[in-house]
Each structure stands twice: as C-alpha cells, then as structure tokens.
Amino acid sequence: MLSPQLEAIRHLVTGTCSEGRTLGMQLEQHSLHYQATTEFSLAPQINRLGLTEQFNPSPLVLDNGDVLHTLSVEQRCVLYEALAYVDPNLIFSCPTPGMAGFVLQAMGNDEQQERFFGRFRDRLSWSCYAMSEPGVGSDAGNIASTATKVDGGYLINGEKYFIGNGAHADIGVVFARTNPGPIGTDVFLFEPDRLEGLHRTRLNTYGVPGSAIAHLKFDNVFVDDDALLGAHLKPTQRFSGAAITTFDSLRPCVGGLTLGTVRALVEHAEQQGAIARTYHHKWLQQAQRELASSLAQLLDIARRFDQGQKVSQAVGLAKAKAVQTAESVCDALLHRLEPGALASDPLLAKLYRDLKSFEYAEGTRQIHFLNAHKQFQEATR
C-alpha cells in the first residue's frame, strides 16, 4: 500500500501512458531518434530529476499539492516503477542527469556542480556514467583505464563498454586509475564533444534500445585539473561517494523498473484478452500480490537508505529478488497466454524483450549473491 504522496507520484507518471507508450514504440523502431523524447510532457522534469531548487525550475508538481525538487530514493523508486509501466525506454532515453548526477552531488565542488547541473538547468541534456569495462564490468576495483598526470591535467587511456547514452551524451563522468591499489581509482568530469581522442560506437541491443549503450575508447584524451572530482576528499571517500553510494541509491530503482515493466506486461495481456481472465483469475490476483510485495521490499530498503543506514548487502539482494520475481511472473504468464498472442501483439513482445535486460543493470543476481556471501562471511568471523 503506497502512501498518498507516493501514490500521487505514480498517478502523475502513469497519466502520460498514451503518449509515453507511443514514444516508446517509436524508439523501439528508430532508437537513434532519442531526441524525440524532448517532446515528452515530463521531459523537463526528468531532465532535472532530483536536483535542488537552485538547478531545478521544473519540479514535480503532484495532484495532492506537493511540489518536489529533490527526491528521496523511496520517491525515485516509485517514479521509476511508474515510468517503466508507461515504457521502460523513457527513463534511459529522456534527457537526465542520471547516475552521473549522483556522483556530482556526492563529490563535486561548487564550480563542478555549476558546470554539470547548470547545463540541465539551462537546457535539455544527456549524461553518461562511464565505469564498465570489457572483461571487468562495473568492478571498480579492477578498472584498467588510466589517468596519467601531466602538466595542467590528465591523459586518459582505456575502454568503456555498455555505457548508457554513451554515443550521444553531452556530459558525463569517467572512472580511471591514477594509482595502483584498491583506492587508486578516481572520477573525472568530461564533455565528449570537446575532447580529442575519444571514439564512441553505439552497440546494438535486443531490449530497451532507448538505453543507447555504447563502446567508448579513450586514446590520450586530455582533461584539465578541474575535471578531477572529489579532490577535496580523502581517497576512500572518493570511491565510496562515486561508486558505492550511487549503486546503493539506484539499485532499488532498477528493481522498480523491472516490476513496472512486468506490471505493464500482465495488465496489457489481460486488457487485450491475451489471457483468459475468468480461467486465470486466481493467478492474476497472486501475480499482483507478488509484485506489490516485491515493491514494498524495495521501498523498505530505500527508506532505510534515506535514513542513513548501511544497506549495500540488502539492496543488492532486493534488486536481485525483484528481477527474479518479475521474471517468474513473466514466465508464468507466457504459459497462460492464448496461442499466438506473443507473436501477434507488438507491445507484448516488446515488454517481454525489455524485461530481460534488467538482470544486467546494476549487477546480475550472481554478483549480488556472491557479494552478500562475502559480507556474511566477514561479519561472522
């Protein structure tokens, strides 16, 4: 059961269902046309999602009278679930500060925050979060990209893979190693169009093409000293501020995306008569309860994070559980569909493809299980 405010957030977003799903199908067919998302009625709000009033002239205005500039993780989780219900492409393809925004909030000084957030205040823009690498994924401790100190700045060399919006981002952050060892990784602010030696290649995807994932290659890319984020922090604070806090903030939201997608899948199948409502009435009720329970678990973790509790282990498991629940409901639905329904309904087939992508967002369940096992072992020594 959502609170009145969270229900108002969901109502605001799902009120865009008609235009949002039309836009999502357009992106499915022509994913290079990401700029079409600027016409989405919530594009100005998503472009400044969660930013302070200083940088946010277009807050979320709810029908209960609340006006939201910044967002708690709990509020963001509900908003992501609702956006995925409309169409999961939207949260990826709309202009937004995204994951990079979390890093700037945690590590950026006043000038860096103005450089980054000021862009989103003044115009619709796209960002990227360049951490994942070939053969390493998002394991920040094993990043191979390097940032070598030179006069006036750093030379960045290396490759990044599966970078959302990487092919067209206006601004972003990149992780690179400045020193060996577990705390030798730093984060740099960069604007791709201003850099020489940066090569960007869009990658094809089977689901959620609006994510526009890309392969980035840095070949002696120079960034100035002012690009280094968190220079005023200790090295241990830089890593936790840039990586751990960002992932802990967004993993409940990725779980919400998964649950919103499968909620749309089940409701669409029911509304289109692709599943016999009378015959499968009990299963439909059970599926709704499972999805609501999984969302409640995510929101509980999000509230604990908002209260300052350490939730790294729990949040990874909650995200993994949300994906597992969503895929279980999806598989059960497929066995109950009328013959030929998946092949004859483009939206049904699209949502099925989209759902499968969230296993890989913010860590697969095997990674979360291994991390939880390691943390449990350390806690019981």
Side-chain angles (χ1 to χ4, degrees):
M1 190 75 174
L2 297 179
S3 69
Q5 185 187 69
L6 296 180
E7 194 63 61
I9 292 174
R10 175 182 270 185
H11 182 263
L12 173 70
V13 177
T14 54
T16 68
C17 208
S18 178
E19 61 163 319
R21 288 188 177 173
T22 298
L23 182 56
M25 291 302 290
Q26 290 175 0
L27 290 167
E28 175 79 6
Q29 297 164 5
H30 306 287
S31 59
L32 290 176
H33 298 169
Y34 64 93
Q35 290 183 327
T37 58
T38 60
E39 302 300 320
F40 183 48
S41 60
L42 289 180
Q45 287 74 26
I46 297 174
N47 183 63
R48 304 175 180 103
L49 194 62
L51 302 190
T52 61
E53 190 170 354
Q54 174 188 359
F55 297 109
N56 193 350
S58 54
L60 294 171
V61 180
L62 308 182
D63 58 11
N64 68 348
D66 288 347
V67 177
L68 303 178
H69 289 88
T70 59
L71 291 176
S72 67
V73 175
E74 182 185 25
Q75 292 167 335
R76 188 181 287 263
C77 184
V78 170
L79 186 140
Y80 275 46
E81 192 272 349
L83 271 173
Y85 174 82
V86 174
D87 191 279
N89 278 301
L90 295 175
I91 192 60
F92 297 104
S93 58
C94 279
T96 181
M99 295 176 70
F102 283 90
V103 178
L104 266 293
Q105 286 175 335
M107 299 176 60
N109 59 33
D110 290 344
E111 291 76 16
Q112 290 166 334
Q113 291 195 6
E114 174 60 35
R115 177 179 169 187
F116 183 86
F117 295 125
R119 168 184 284 273
F120 293 89
R121 177 194 60 215
D122 298 338
R123 56 194 179 279
L124 300 179
S125 299
W126 286 263
S127 67
C128 69
Y129 182 91
M131 173 188 277
S132 297
E133 295 187 354
V136 176
S138 56
D139 183 357
N142 287 311
I143 279 177
S145 297
T146 60
T148 305
K149 187 72 180 78
V150 295
D151 186 30
Y154 296 82
L155 287 179
I156 299 179
N157 285 278
E159 295 183 62
K160 300 294 178 179
Y161 217 65
F162 300 136
I163 308 305
N165 291 327
H168 59 256
D170 303 300
I171 196 166
V173 296
V174 57
F175 289 70
R177 185 170 293 282
T178 52
N179 289 292
I183 58 174
T185 299
D186 280 298
V187 193
F188 299 85
L189 184 62
F190 75 109
E191 297 177 68
D193 289 340
R194 297 186 177 186
L195 302 179
E196 295 183 4
L198 175 60
H199 308 282
R200 305 193 279 177
T201 305
R202 187 185 176 97
L203 302 174
N204 293 324
T205 57
Y206 183 66
V208 196
S211 60
I213 60 173
H215 176 200
L216 308 185
K217 185 174 181 180
F218 293 78
D219 185 8
N220 278 332
V221 174
F222 177 80
V223 295
D224 58 35
D225 285 324
D226 293 338
L228 175 64
L229 297 175
H232 56 293
L233 302 173
K234 296 178 181 178
T236 52
Q237 292 175 311
R238 294 181 204 169
F239 177 77
S240 62
I244 297 175
T245 302
T246 300
F247 286 139
D248 285 355
S249 299
L250 281 177
R251 278 173 179 148
C253 302
V254 174
L257 289 173
T258 310
L259 297 176
T261 302
V262 77
R263 181 163 70 94
L265 185 66
V266 172
E267 288 190 15
H268 179 73
E270 184 180 6
Q271 291 167 359
Q272 297 302 311
I275 180 173
R277 184 180 305 178
T278 303
Y279 186 74
H280 296 293
H281 178 68
K282 288 186 177 180
W283 178 84
L284 287 167
Q285 288 185 324
Q286 176 188 340
Q288 291 170 356
R289 287 194 297 268
E290 289 181 14
L291 296 180
S293 176
S294 190
L295 179 60
Q297 183 181 28
L298 289 173
L299 295 181
D300 178 67
I301 297 291
R303 279 192 295 272
R304 288 164 55 190
F305 178 86
D306 290 330
Q307 293 166 2
Q309 297 182 35
K310 186 176 180 180
V311 298
S312 294
Q313 176 181 335
V315 76
L317 291 176
K319 181 264 175 179
K321 179 61 176 176
V323 173
Q324 188 176 48
T325 299
E327 291 188 348
S328 175
V329 169
C330 176
D331 291 343
L333 172 68
L334 293 183
H335 288 289
R336 290 167 170 80
L337 291 177
E338 295 294 312
L342 192 64
S344 61
D345 189 320
L347 181 57
L348 205 62
K350 172 191 174 302
L351 290 170
Y352 174 71
R353 291 194 300 272
D354 290 343
L355 179 65
K356 297 298 181 179
S357 66
F358 297 115
E359 166 70 12
Y360 304 95
E362 312 308 332
T364 64
R365 72 191 70 176
Q366 289 88 350
I367 290 174
H368 293 305
F369 292 158
L370 288 170
N371 286 342
H373 175 68
K374 180 180 179 181
Q375 291 174 23
F376 177 77
Q377 285 185 315
E378 292 174 349
T380 55
R381 283 176 184 170

mmCIF file of all heavy atoms in Angstrom, residues 277-311:
data_model
loop_
_atom_site.group_PDB
_atom_site.id
_atom_site.type_symbol
_atom_site.label_atom_id
_atom_site.label_comp_id
_atom_site.label_asym_id
_atom_site.label_seq_id
_atom_site.Cartn_x
_atom_site.Cartn_y
_atom_site.Cartn_z
ATOM 1 N N ARG A 277 -9.239 -14.142 -18.539
ATOM 2 C CA ARG A 277 -9.352 -13.534 -17.213
ATOM 3 C C ARG A 277 -10.120 -14.428 -16.238
ATOM 4 O O ARG A 277 -9.711 -14.598 -15.095
ATOM 5 C CB ARG A 277 -10.034 -12.173 -17.331
ATOM 6 C CG ARG A 277 -10.116 -11.407 -16.036
ATOM 7 C CD ARG A 277 -10.803 -10.063 -16.246
ATOM 8 N NE ARG A 277 -10.149 -9.276 -17.278
ATOM 9 C CZ ARG A 277 -10.578 -8.081 -17.672
ATOM 10 N NH1 ARG A 277 -11.668 -7.553 -17.127
ATOM 11 N NH2 ARG A 277 -9.946 -7.420 -18.617
ATOM 12 N N THR A 278 -11.222 -14.994 -16.691
ATOM 13 C CA THR A 278 -12.037 -15.819 -15.799
ATOM 14 C C THR A 278 -11.287 -17.079 -15.370
ATOM 15 O O THR A 278 -11.234 -17.420 -14.183
ATOM 16 C CB THR A 278 -13.353 -16.217 -16.484
ATOM 17 O OG1 THR A 278 -14.042 -15.024 -16.882
ATOM 18 C CG2 THR A 278 -14.227 -17.026 -15.548
ATOM 19 N N TYR A 279 -10.673 -17.746 -16.308
ATOM 20 C CA TYR A 279 -9.981 -19.004 -16.028
ATOM 21 C C TYR A 279 -8.748 -18.784 -15.156
ATOM 22 O O TYR A 279 -8.418 -19.614 -14.298
ATOM 23 C CB TYR A 279 -9.592 -19.673 -17.348
ATOM 24 C CG TYR A 279 -8.999 -21.049 -17.181
ATOM 25 C CD1 TYR A 279 -9.804 -22.140 -16.849
ATOM 26 C CD2 TYR A 279 -7.633 -21.253 -17.347
ATOM 27 C CE1 TYR A 279 -9.256 -23.408 -16.690
ATOM 28 C CE2 TYR A 279 -7.078 -22.520 -17.190
ATOM 29 C CZ TYR A 279 -7.895 -23.591 -16.855
ATOM 30 O OH TYR A 279 -7.347 -24.844 -16.686
ATOM 31 N N HIS A 280 -8.055 -17.655 -15.360
ATOM 32 C CA HIS A 280 -6.801 -17.402 -14.650
ATOM 33 C C HIS A 280 -6.948 -16.308 -13.589
ATOM 34 O O HIS A 280 -5.972 -15.662 -13.213
ATOM 35 C CB HIS A 280 -5.710 -17.001 -15.648
ATOM 36 C CG HIS A 280 -5.363 -18.074 -16.634
ATOM 37 N ND1 HIS A 280 -4.753 -19.253 -16.262
ATOM 38 C CD2 HIS A 280 -5.565 -18.153 -17.978
ATOM 39 C CE1 HIS A 280 -4.569 -20.006 -17.332
ATOM 40 N NE2 HIS A 280 -5.051 -19.365 -18.389
ATOM 41 N N HIS A 281 -8.172 -16.111 -13.118
ATOM 42 C CA HIS A 281 -8.440 -15.033 -12.165
ATOM 43 C C HIS A 281 -7.582 -15.151 -10.898
ATOM 44 O O HIS A 281 -6.982 -14.157 -10.448
ATOM 45 C CB HIS A 281 -9.927 -15.037 -11.791
ATOM 46 C CG HIS A 281 -10.285 -13.987 -10.776
ATOM 47 N ND1 HIS A 281 -10.248 -12.634 -11.063
ATOM 48 C CD2 HIS A 281 -10.666 -14.089 -9.472
ATOM 49 C CE1 HIS A 281 -10.600 -11.947 -9.981
ATOM 50 N NE2 HIS A 281 -10.858 -12.814 -9.008
ATOM 51 N N LYS A 282 -7.487 -16.327 -10.336
ATOM 52 C CA LYS A 282 -6.716 -16.515 -9.105
ATOM 53 C C LYS A 282 -5.227 -16.249 -9.343
ATOM 54 O O LYS A 282 -4.554 -15.649 -8.507
ATOM 55 C CB LYS A 282 -6.923 -17.919 -8.547
ATOM 56 C CG LYS A 282 -8.296 -18.135 -7.930
ATOM 57 C CD LYS A 282 -8.388 -19.502 -7.267
ATOM 58 C CE LYS A 282 -9.743 -19.678 -6.592
ATOM 59 N NZ LYS A 282 -9.853 -21.018 -5.934
ATOM 60 N N TRP A 283 -4.726 -16.709 -10.492
ATOM 61 C CA TRP A 283 -3.305 -16.466 -10.769
ATOM 62 C C TRP A 283 -3.033 -14.972 -10.940
ATOM 63 O O TRP A 283 -2.012 -14.471 -10.456
ATOM 64 C CB TRP A 283 -2.862 -17.208 -12.032
ATOM 65 C CG TRP A 283 -1.420 -16.909 -12.329
ATOM 66 C CD1 TRP A 283 -0.325 -17.522 -11.793
ATOM 67 C CD2 TRP A 283 -0.911 -15.875 -13.180
ATOM 68 N NE1 TRP A 283 0.835 -16.932 -12.252
ATOM 69 C CE2 TRP A 283 0.499 -15.917 -13.113
ATOM 70 C CE3 TRP A 283 -1.506 -14.916 -14.002
ATOM 71 C CZ2 TRP A 283 1.324 -15.054 -13.837
ATOM 72 C CZ3 TRP A 283 -0.689 -14.044 -14.717
ATOM 73 C CH2 TRP A 283 0.709 -14.110 -14.633
ATOM 74 N N LEU A 284 -3.909 -14.247 -11.614
ATOM 75 C CA LEU A 284 -3.722 -12.813 -11.801
ATOM 76 C C LEU A 284 -3.682 -12.092 -10.457
ATOM 77 O O LEU A 284 -2.843 -11.195 -10.253
ATOM 78 C CB LEU A 284 -4.846 -12.250 -12.670
ATOM 79 C CG LEU A 284 -4.780 -12.618 -14.155
ATOM 80 C CD1 LEU A 284 -6.097 -12.283 -14.853
ATOM 81 C CD2 LEU A 284 -3.614 -11.886 -14.833
ATOM 82 N N GLN A 285 -4.534 -12.480 -9.538
ATOM 83 C CA GLN A 285 -4.512 -11.876 -8.210
ATOM 84 C C GLN A 285 -3.208 -12.204 -7.481
ATOM 85 O O GLN A 285 -2.614 -11.339 -6.824
ATOM 86 C CB GLN A 285 -5.700 -12.374 -7.394
ATOM 87 C CG GLN A 285 -7.047 -11.810 -7.827
ATOM 88 C CD GLN A 285 -8.173 -12.242 -6.900
ATOM 89 O OE1 GLN A 285 -8.184 -13.362 -6.394
ATOM 90 N NE2 GLN A 285 -9.109 -11.331 -6.661
ATOM 91 N N GLN A 286 -2.750 -13.444 -7.616
ATOM 92 C CA GLN A 286 -1.496 -13.854 -6.981
ATOM 93 C C GLN A 286 -0.316 -13.065 -7.557
ATOM 94 O O GLN A 286 0.564 -12.623 -6.816
ATOM 95 C CB GLN A 286 -1.269 -15.354 -7.188
ATOM 96 C CG GLN A 286 0.068 -15.858 -6.637
ATOM 97 C CD GLN A 286 0.345 -17.306 -7.025
ATOM 98 O OE1 GLN A 286 -0.575 -18.045 -7.367
ATOM 99 N NE2 GLN A 286 1.599 -17.711 -6.969
ATOM 100 N N ALA A 287 -0.305 -12.898 -8.874
ATOM 101 C CA ALA A 287 0.780 -12.145 -9.524
ATOM 102 C C ALA A 287 0.805 -10.707 -9.024
ATOM 103 O O ALA A 287 1.881 -10.149 -8.744
ATOM 104 C CB ALA A 287 0.607 -12.178 -11.041
ATOM 105 N N GLN A 288 -0.346 -10.076 -8.902
ATOM 106 C CA GLN A 288 -0.410 -8.709 -8.397
ATOM 107 C C GLN A 288 0.113 -8.618 -6.968
ATOM 108 O O GLN A 288 0.822 -7.670 -6.618
ATOM 109 C CB GLN A 288 -1.855 -8.204 -8.475
ATOM 110 C CG GLN A 288 -2.352 -7.987 -9.893
ATOM 111 C CD GLN A 288 -3.844 -7.735 -9.958
ATOM 112 O OE1 GLN A 288 -4.551 -7.791 -8.941
ATOM 113 N NE2 GLN A 288 -4.351 -7.464 -11.159
ATOM 114 N N ARG A 289 -0.213 -9.620 -6.146
ATOM 115 C CA ARG A 289 0.286 -9.632 -4.769
ATOM 116 C C ARG A 289 1.806 -9.795 -4.730
ATOM 117 O O ARG A 289 2.489 -9.136 -3.933
ATOM 118 C CB ARG A 289 -0.381 -10.758 -3.974
ATOM 119 C CG ARG A 289 -1.842 -10.492 -3.621
ATOM 120 C CD ARG A 289 -2.333 -11.466 -2.547
ATOM 121 N NE ARG A 289 -2.295 -12.850 -3.022
ATOM 122 C CZ ARG A 289 -3.305 -13.475 -3.608
ATOM 123 N NH1 ARG A 289 -4.443 -12.828 -3.828
ATOM 124 N NH2 ARG A 289 -3.196 -14.740 -3.982
ATOM 125 N N GLU A 290 2.341 -10.647 -5.574
ATOM 126 C CA GLU A 290 3.792 -10.868 -5.607
ATOM 127 C C GLU A 290 4.522 -9.596 -6.013
ATOM 128 O O GLU A 290 5.556 -9.244 -5.430
ATOM 129 C CB GLU A 290 4.125 -12.008 -6.566
ATOM 130 C CG GLU A 290 3.726 -13.379 -6.065
ATOM 131 C CD GLU A 290 4.093 -14.473 -7.047
ATOM 132 O OE1 GLU A 290 4.877 -14.204 -7.974
ATOM 133 O OE2 GLU A 290 3.600 -15.602 -6.895
ATOM 134 N N LEU A 291 3.986 -8.906 -7.019
ATOM 135 C CA LEU A 291 4.628 -7.671 -7.484
ATOM 136 C C LEU A 291 4.532 -6.577 -6.424
ATOM 137 O O LEU A 291 5.499 -5.847 -6.184
ATOM 138 C CB LEU A 291 3.994 -7.206 -8.789
ATOM 139 C CG LEU A 291 4.161 -8.154 -9.991
ATOM 140 C CD1 LEU A 291 3.493 -7.581 -11.223
ATOM 141 C CD2 LEU A 291 5.633 -8.436 -10.267
ATOM 142 N N ALA A 292 3.386 -6.471 -5.771
ATOM 143 C CA ALA A 292 3.219 -5.466 -4.722
ATOM 144 C C ALA A 292 4.145 -5.752 -3.541
ATOM 145 O O ALA A 292 4.729 -4.833 -2.952
ATOM 146 C CB ALA A 292 1.764 -5.422 -4.262
ATOM 147 N N SER A 293 4.299 -7.027 -3.197
ATOM 148 C CA SER A 293 5.172 -7.406 -2.092
ATOM 149 C C SER A 293 6.626 -7.102 -2.403
ATOM 150 O O SER A 293 7.374 -6.600 -1.551
ATOM 151 C CB SER A 293 5.001 -8.901 -1.788
ATOM 152 O OG SER A 293 5.907 -9.319 -0.787
ATOM 153 N N SER A 294 7.038 -7.378 -3.633
ATOM 154 C CA SER A 294 8.422 -7.105 -4.030
ATOM 155 C C SER A 294 8.708 -5.606 -4.042
ATOM 156 O O SER A 294 9.776 -5.157 -3.616
ATOM 157 C CB SER A 294 8.697 -7.707 -5.415
ATOM 158 O OG SER A 294 10.073 -7.650 -5.721
ATOM 159 N N LEU A 295 7.732 -4.807 -4.499
ATOM 160 C CA LEU A 295 7.902 -3.354 -4.480
ATOM 161 C C LEU A 295 7.987 -2.856 -3.042
ATOM 162 O O LEU A 295 8.803 -1.977 -2.726
ATOM 163 C CB LEU A 295 6.748 -2.673 -5.205
ATOM 164 C CG LEU A 295 6.798 -1.139 -5.246
ATOM 165 C CD1 LEU A 295 8.064 -0.644 -5.940
ATOM 166 C CD2 LEU A 295 5.558 -0.576 -5.934
ATOM 167 N N ALA A 296 7.171 -3.402 -2.165
ATOM 168 C CA ALA A 296 7.207 -2.991 -0.757
ATOM 169 C C ALA A 296 8.578 -3.271 -0.148
ATOM 170 O O ALA A 296 9.089 -2.476 0.654
ATOM 171 C CB ALA A 296 6.112 -3.714 0.026
ATOM 172 N N GLN A 297 9.184 -4.399 -0.521
ATOM 173 C CA GLN A 297 10.515 -4.724 -0.018
ATOM 174 C C GLN A 297 11.544 -3.705 -0.510
ATOM 175 O O GLN A 297 12.394 -3.239 0.258
ATOM 176 C CB GLN A 297 10.922 -6.123 -0.458
ATOM 177 C CG GLN A 297 12.281 -6.565 0.087
ATOM 178 C CD GLN A 297 12.681 -7.955 -0.390
ATOM 179 O OE1 GLN A 297 12.271 -8.384 -1.466
ATOM 180 N NE2 GLN A 297 13.486 -8.647 0.398
ATOM 181 N N LEU A 298 11.457 -3.336 -1.784
ATOM 182 C CA LEU A 298 12.368 -2.325 -2.327
ATOM 183 C C LEU A 298 12.203 -0.992 -1.602
ATOM 184 O O LEU A 298 13.184 -0.323 -1.274
ATOM 185 C CB LEU A 298 12.113 -2.133 -3.819
ATOM 186 C CG LEU A 298 12.523 -3.264 -4.760
ATOM 187 C CD1 LEU A 298 12.036 -2.964 -6.175
ATOM 188 C CD2 LEU A 298 14.037 -3.463 -4.752
ATOM 189 N N LEU A 299 10.961 -0.602 -1.361
ATOM 190 C CA LEU A 299 10.703 0.680 -0.713
ATOM 191 C C LEU A 299 11.181 0.674 0.739
ATOM 192 O O LEU A 299 11.632 1.704 1.257
ATOM 193 C CB LEU A 299 9.211 1.017 -0.780
ATOM 194 C CG LEU A 299 8.656 1.241 -2.186
ATOM 195 C CD1 LEU A 299 7.173 1.588 -2.124
ATOM 196 C CD2 LEU A 299 9.425 2.337 -2.911
ATOM 197 N N ASP A 300 11.106 -0.482 1.402
ATOM 198 C CA ASP A 300 11.632 -0.583 2.763
ATOM 199 C C ASP A 300 13.142 -0.365 2.772
ATOM 200 O O ASP A 300 13.674 0.379 3.620
ATOM 201 C CB ASP A 300 11.291 -1.952 3.346
ATOM 202 C CG ASP A 300 11.861 -2.131 4.743
ATOM 203 O OD1 ASP A 300 11.411 -1.424 5.664
ATOM 204 O OD2 ASP A 300 12.771 -2.971 4.922
ATOM 205 N N ILE A 301 13.841 -0.988 1.825
ATOM 206 C CA ILE A 301 15.293 -0.794 1.704
ATOM 207 C C ILE A 301 15.603 0.664 1.385
ATOM 208 O O ILE A 301 16.527 1.266 1.939
ATOM 209 C CB ILE A 301 15.866 -1.705 0.602
ATOM 210 C CG1 ILE A 301 15.661 -3.170 0.957
ATOM 211 C CG2 ILE A 301 17.336 -1.402 0.366
ATOM 212 C CD1 ILE A 301 16.469 -3.667 2.105
ATOM 213 N N ALA A 302 14.817 1.255 0.476
ATOM 214 C CA ALA A 302 15.045 2.653 0.089
ATOM 215 C C ALA A 302 14.866 3.586 1.283
ATOM 216 O O ALA A 302 15.656 4.529 1.466
ATOM 217 C CB ALA A 302 14.077 3.037 -1.034
ATOM 218 N N ARG A 303 13.852 3.351 2.096
ATOM 219 C CA ARG A 303 13.645 4.185 3.293
ATOM 220 C C ARG A 303 14.818 4.072 4.252
ATOM 221 O O ARG A 303 15.256 5.077 4.826
ATOM 222 C CB ARG A 303 12.346 3.772 3.991
ATOM 223 C CG ARG A 303 11.087 4.351 3.378
ATOM 224 C CD ARG A 303 9.886 4.141 4.281
ATOM 225 N NE ARG A 303 9.565 2.728 4.435
ATOM 226 C CZ ARG A 303 8.756 2.046 3.624
ATOM 227 N NH1 ARG A 303 8.176 2.659 2.605
ATOM 228 N NH2 ARG A 303 8.497 0.772 3.833
ATOM 229 N N ARG A 304 15.319 2.863 4.414
ATOM 230 C CA ARG A 304 16.472 2.674 5.299
ATOM 231 C C ARG A 304 17.696 3.416 4.775
ATOM 232 O O ARG A 304 18.451 4.009 5.549
ATOM 233 C CB ARG A 304 16.764 1.181 5.450
ATOM 234 C CG ARG A 304 15.720 0.450 6.304
ATOM 235 C CD ARG A 304 15.791 -1.053 6.121
ATOM 236 N NE ARG A 304 17.137 -1.580 6.392
ATOM 237 C CZ ARG A 304 17.505 -2.824 6.110
ATOM 238 N NH1 ARG A 304 16.631 -3.663 5.554
ATOM 239 N NH2 ARG A 304 18.729 -3.235 6.386
ATOM 240 N N PHE A 305 17.883 3.409 3.457
ATOM 241 C CA PHE A 305 18.991 4.166 2.871
ATOM 242 C C PHE A 305 18.792 5.662 3.108
ATOM 243 O O PHE A 305 19.726 6.381 3.478
ATOM 244 C CB PHE A 305 19.087 3.892 1.370
ATOM 245 C CG PHE A 305 20.173 4.671 0.679
ATOM 246 C CD1 PHE A 305 21.470 4.192 0.625
ATOM 247 C CD2 PHE A 305 19.896 5.907 0.092
ATOM 248 C CE1 PHE A 305 22.474 4.915 0.002
ATOM 249 C CE2 PHE A 305 20.891 6.632 -0.528
ATOM 250 C CZ PHE A 305 22.184 6.131 -0.577
ATOM 251 N N ASP A 306 17.561 6.127 2.902
ATOM 252 C CA ASP A 306 17.262 7.548 3.110
ATOM 253 C C ASP A 306 17.500 7.973 4.560
ATOM 254 O O ASP A 306 17.819 9.137 4.831
ATOM 255 C CB ASP A 306 15.806 7.845 2.719
ATOM 256 C CG ASP A 306 15.561 7.751 1.227
ATOM 257 O OD1 ASP A 306 16.496 8.016 0.453
ATOM 258 O OD2 ASP A 306 14.428 7.411 0.834
ATOM 259 N N GLN A 307 17.365 7.031 5.486
ATOM 260 C CA GLN A 307 17.588 7.321 6.900
ATOM 261 C C GLN A 307 19.056 7.236 7.301
ATOM 262 O O GLN A 307 19.389 7.461 8.459
ATOM 263 C CB GLN A 307 16.767 6.340 7.750
ATOM 264 C CG GLN A 307 15.265 6.522 7.630
ATOM 265 C CD GLN A 307 14.484 5.344 8.189
ATOM 266 O OE1 GLN A 307 15.058 4.380 8.708
ATOM 267 N NE2 GLN A 307 13.158 5.413 8.090
ATOM 268 N N GLY A 308 19.917 6.908 6.332
ATOM 269 C CA GLY A 308 21.347 6.867 6.609
ATOM 270 C C GLY A 308 21.879 5.512 7.021
ATOM 271 O O GLY A 308 23.056 5.392 7.401
ATOM 272 N N GLN A 309 21.048 4.474 6.925
ATOM 273 C CA GLN A 309 21.513 3.141 7.285
ATOM 274 C C GLN A 309 22.360 2.547 6.158
ATOM 275 O O GLN A 309 22.191 2.881 4.988
ATOM 276 C CB GLN A 309 20.322 2.223 7.569
ATOM 277 C CG GLN A 309 19.465 2.645 8.738
ATOM 278 C CD GLN A 309 18.329 1.671 8.990
ATOM 279 O OE1 GLN A 309 18.473 0.458 8.805
ATOM 280 N NE2 GLN A 309 17.181 2.190 9.415
ATOM 281 N N LYS A 310 23.275 1.651 6.520
ATOM 282 C CA LYS A 310 24.100 0.963 5.540
ATOM 283 C C LYS A 310 23.318 -0.208 4.968
ATOM 284 O O LYS A 310 22.922 -1.127 5.718
ATOM 285 C CB LYS A 310 25.398 0.462 6.186
ATOM 286 C CG LYS A 310 26.385 -0.136 5.203
ATOM 287 C CD LYS A 310 27.686 -0.524 5.893
ATOM 288 C CE LYS A 310 28.669 -1.120 4.887
ATOM 289 N NZ LYS A 310 29.947 -1.516 5.548
ATOM 290 N N VAL A 311 23.080 -0.200 3.668
ATOM 291 C CA VAL A 311 22.189 -1.204 3.070
ATOM 292 C C VAL A 311 22.807 -1.907 1.870
ATOM 293 O O VAL A 311 22.100 -2.568 1.110
ATOM 294 C CB VAL A 311 20.844 -0.556 2.641
ATOM 295 C CG1 VAL A 311 20.097 0.006 3.835
ATOM 296 C CG2 VAL A 311 21.078 0.527 1.584
#
